[in-house]
Amino acid sequence: HRFRKPNQKVRENVYSPSPCLHLSNIPAEITETELRTMFKDCGSIVNFRFLASERPDKQMALMEFTSTSSAICGLVQLHNKEFVTEGGRQYLRISFSKAGCIQK
């Protein structure tokens, strides 16, 4: 995983900019509404879906914007955002989606 070690470069896990973002390390208490509110200044979100996660304390999601520039804004502004939870601190991880956007 490209985020496990701070200075690790795993180029095969870096994807071209697209309107779809992959969010990971989301605390379990955070809702879709809260995530949409966090990203609202970057543009319109047209689709959102939580993904199955092996760890109940860390959620993953896909978020699709109307444009690639809106997704870039979200990544730049919110990657590594800190959440303080009962279990400690968690940092939001954001990357462009490998799988593309959410199928309707």
Side-chain angles (χ1 to χ4, degrees), residues 21-92:
L21 295 178
H22 179 266
L23 314 176
S24 60
N25 204 32
I26 305 167
E29 326 55 80
I30 299 296
T31 66
E32 176 181 342
T33 302
E34 290 171 303
L35 288 169
R36 285 178 175 268
T37 300
M38 285 172 40
F39 284 86
K40 71 177 170 138
D41 292 338
C42 290
S44 296
I45 299 165
V46 293
N47 270 313
F48 180 92
R49 180 176 58 147
F50 277 112
L51 303 172
S53 177
E54 295 173 5
R55 296 193 52 190
D57 59 329
K58 296 181 181 182
Q59 303 181 84
M60 294 185 294
L62 291 176
M63 181 179 284
E64 182 181 358
F65 287 87
T66 54
S67 70
T68 300
S69 60
S70 294
I72 291 169
C73 171
L75 187 146
V76 169
Q77 289 189 10
L78 294 166
H79 175 69
N80 227 18
K81 176 178 174 37
E82 180 181 34
F83 293 103
V84 179
T85 67
E86 289 181 15
R89 298 177 193 276
Q90 282 180 235
Y91 297 89
L92 181 63

Side-chain angles (χ1 to χ4, degrees), residues 12-13 27 36 56 61 96:
E12 63 267 13
N13 288 330
R36 285 178 175 268
F96 294 108

